[in-house]
Amino acid sequence: MTIRVGIMGYGNLGRGVECALKQNPDMELTAVFTRRDPGSVKILTEGVNVYPAKDAKDLADQVDVLILCGGSATDLPEQTPEYAKYFNVVDSFDTHAKIPEHFAAVDKAAREAGNTAVISAGWDPGMFSLNRLYGSAVLPDGKDYTFWGRGVSQGHSDAIRRIAGVKDARQYTIPVESALEAIRSGETPELTTRQKHTRECFVVAEEGADLAAIEKEIVTMPNYFADYDTTVHFISQEEMERDHRSLPHGGFVIRSGKTGWDLEHNHVIEYSLKLDSNPEFTSSVIVACARAAYRMKQEGMTGCKTILDLPPAYLSSKSGEELRKELL
Ligand SMILES: NC(=O)C1=CN([C@@H]2O[C@H](COP(=O)(O)OP(=O)(O)OC[C@H]3O[C@@H](n4cnc5c(N)ncnc54)[C@H](OP(=O)(O)O)[C@@H]3O)[C@@H](O)[C@H]2O)C=CC1
Ligand SMILES: N[C@@H](C[C@H]1CC(C(=O)O)=NO1)C(=O)O
C-alpha cells in the first residue's frame, strides 16, 4: 500500500516534492492543488490532475498526507492550520521567530481533527535543527554555530516577491569570512546576527514601481533582513533569467564542546550541506517527514510535531529489521 501524497502550491518546492516522490516507490502523487488557474499550472507527472486549492478538502479521501509548498512569509501561516483540519500535513515553515505561534495554531487544528502535522521540515529549520540538538545533547558544555551560503535562501527570496511592485527576486546569503575563520580555528566568539552573514538581493521590479520604497521595505523587514547588512540590486527579467536560474545553497552546523573531569578535552562536531538545488534537497527532507507523519498517524500519534519529535526510523522506507541489520 503506497502513501498517497498531495501537493498544495506548485512553485520551486512543489516541483521539488514531485521529483522527490519519484525517488520513493512507497509513496505516490495523487493530486496537485493551486490557487491559480489549474490549466495554467503544468506538472511533470502524467496521469495526475491539478485542482483548485478551494476544492482540496473535497478530495481528502484521495490523499494520506498533504504537503504544503507555499511561502512562509504569507501562505503557510494561513494554509497549514486550515488544511490540518482535513489532512495530515507537512510544511517547511521557516520564519524561525514565529515557529512557536505557528506550532500552536497547527497543533490546535490537528488535534481537534485527529490529524498528524509536521511543521518546519527542511534543512534550517530541519536537518540543521536536528544536528544542533544532537550536538548540545552530547556535548552540553559547548557552543554551536550555524553558517549558510553563499547561496539562495528560498524563504528570503519568497518574502521579497511578496512586496508590492516586485515581479521576481533572489536573495543570496553570504557568510562573513572573518567569523568563519575564527570558528574554524577553534575560537568560540560571541557573534551577533550581523557579524555572521550579509544578504544580497537581486530584484526585478514592476514597470513604474517605487524602487526606493521597495528597497526600504526589504532592508527593514523584521525576521528576514532588519538584523543584517543587506544590499539590493534592481535588474531586468532577462538578467534574472540569465544570471540567477539555479538555486544552490548549503552551510554547516559546528558544535565544539568539552568533556573530562576538568573539561580538559575538546571535541568538534560538524554537519555540512552542499546543495545544487535548495528546493530539491528541502523537498527530499519533507517527503521523508511525510512518511513519518503517515506512520505516526497510523499509530494514533496526532497533533503537531517538528522534525525533533519524529522517530528517526520512521523517516526511512526500510523496516526496523532492515535498519537493525545496517547497525551491525
Ligand atoms: N525549512 C527549510 O529549510 C526551507 C524552507 N523553505 C520554505 O519554502 C517556501 C516556498 O519556497 P518556494 O517554493 O521557493 O516559493 P515559490 O515562490 O516558488 O512558491 C510559493 C507559492 O507561490 C505560488 N507560485 C509559484 N510560482 C508562481 C508563479 N509563477 N506565479 C504565481 N504564483 C506562483 C505557488 O502557490 P500556488 O500554486 O497556490 O499559486 C507556490 O506554492 C519558502 O517561503 C520557505 O519558507 C524553502 C527552503 C528551505
Ligand atoms: N529556510 C532557508 C534554509 C536555510 C538558508 C538560510 C539563509 O540563507 O538565511 N536559512 O536557512 C531557505 O528558505 O532557503
Side-chain angles (χ1 to χ4, degrees):
M1 169 101 123
T2 57
I3 300 170
R4 300 168 302 165
V5 175
I7 291 171
M8 173 59 71
Y10 197 74
N12 297 314
L13 222 48
R15 198 175 303 109
V17 167
E18 189 179 10
C19 295
L21 288 171
K22 191 176 160 205
Q23 295 177 279
N24 289 272
D26 64 322
M27 306 172 89
E28 64 171 319
L29 180 64
T30 54
V32 173
F33 302 98
T34 179
R35 292 161 298 181
R36 286 167 284 163
D37 166 15
S40 72
V41 175
K42 303 304 174 201
I43 69 171
L44 305 170
T45 311
E46 288 188 12
V48 173
N49 294 325
V50 182
Y51 302 94
K54 65 180 176 55
D55 296 344
K57 60 182 178 297
D58 302 328
L59 292 156
D61 61 337
Q62 295 181 31
V63 173
D64 296 313
V65 184
L66 182 67
I67 298 180
L68 299 159
C69 297
S72 292
T74 55
D75 298 335
L76 298 179
E78 284 180 26
Q79 290 181 325
T80 312
E82 174 60 22
Y83 291 110
K85 296 174 187 173
Y86 311 101
F87 298 90
N88 302 309
V89 295
V90 180
D91 82 11
S92 65
F93 186 75
D94 67 356
T95 312
H96 293 254
K98 296 189 174 180
I99 286 177
E101 71 186 75
H102 187 60
F103 183 97
V106 175
D107 191 46
K108 181 174 186 300
R111 283 185 187 284
E112 287 172 0
N115 288 327
T116 303
V118 178
I119 65 162
S120 302
W123 55 289
D124 203 354
M127 301 298 286
F128 275 16
S129 316
L130 211 46
N131 280 277
R132 287 188 286 260
L133 179 145
Y134 290 152
S136 58
V138 168
L139 293 174
D141 285 302
K143 288 187 75 155
D144 59 48
Y145 297 88
T146 299
F147 282 95
W148 312 292
R150 177 187 172 92
V152 177
S153 166
Q154 292 174 245
H156 291 79
S157 303
D158 169 67
I160 300 174
R161 288 193 290 268
R162 304 303 167 128
I163 296 172
V166 172
K167 190 176 171 190
D168 201 357
R170 296 288 183 283
Q171 188 269 200
Y172 292 83
T173 309
I174 303 153
V176 174
E177 282 307 319
S178 56
L180 262 182
E181 283 158 26
I183 287 28
R184 279 257 157 81
S185 67
E187 294 174 36
T188 55
E190 290 297 330
L191 296 167
T192 65
T193 297
R194 202 174 293 274
Q195 287 174 319
K196 288 195 283 185
H197 297 91
T198 61
R199 298 190 179 277
E200 187 172 24
C201 311
F202 293 86
V203 180
V204 178
E206 303 285 2
E207 192 69 35
D210 181 342
L211 303 189
I214 291 172
E215 178 166 357
K216 183 177 180 188
E217 188 164 348
I218 293 171
V219 302
T220 60
M221 190 184 297
N223 300 319
Y224 285 92
F225 296 98
D227 296 333
Y228 297 88
D229 294 336
T230 301
T231 53
V232 180
H233 309 282
F234 290 97
I235 62 173
S236 67
Q237 190 65 49
E238 292 69 31
E239 288 170 312
M240 179 64 82
E241 287 165 11
R242 184 190 68 210
D243 302 335
H244 305 282
R245 289 178 65 84
S246 63
L247 298 172
H249 213 337
F252 55 87
V253 171
I254 287 187
R255 176 81 181 178
S256 57
K258 297 180 183 301
T259 63
W261 194 255
D262 300 314
L263 299 181
E264 67 273 27
H265 295 126
N266 289 307
H267 310 274
V268 177
I269 305 170
E270 180 164 345
Y271 174 79
S272 75
L273 294 177
K274 293 177 181 60
L275 310 177
D276 276 355
S277 167
N278 184 352
E280 287 179 6
F281 180 82
T282 301
S283 301
S284 299
V285 176
I286 289 170
V287 163
C289 290
R291 178 183 290 116
Y294 176 75
R295 292 179 65 172
M296 293 177 86
K297 172 62 180 286
Q298 296 298 94
E299 296 181 11
M301 292 185 258
T302 58
C304 190
K305 320 292 175 188
T306 72
I307 200 168
L308 306 180
D309 304 309
L310 307 183
Y314 285 21
L315 295 166
S316 173
S317 60
K318 295 177 181 174
S319 69
E321 186 183 358
E322 288 169 311
L323 291 172
R324 280 187 291 278
K325 280 181 189 162
E326 288 176 5
L327 278 176
L328 300 179

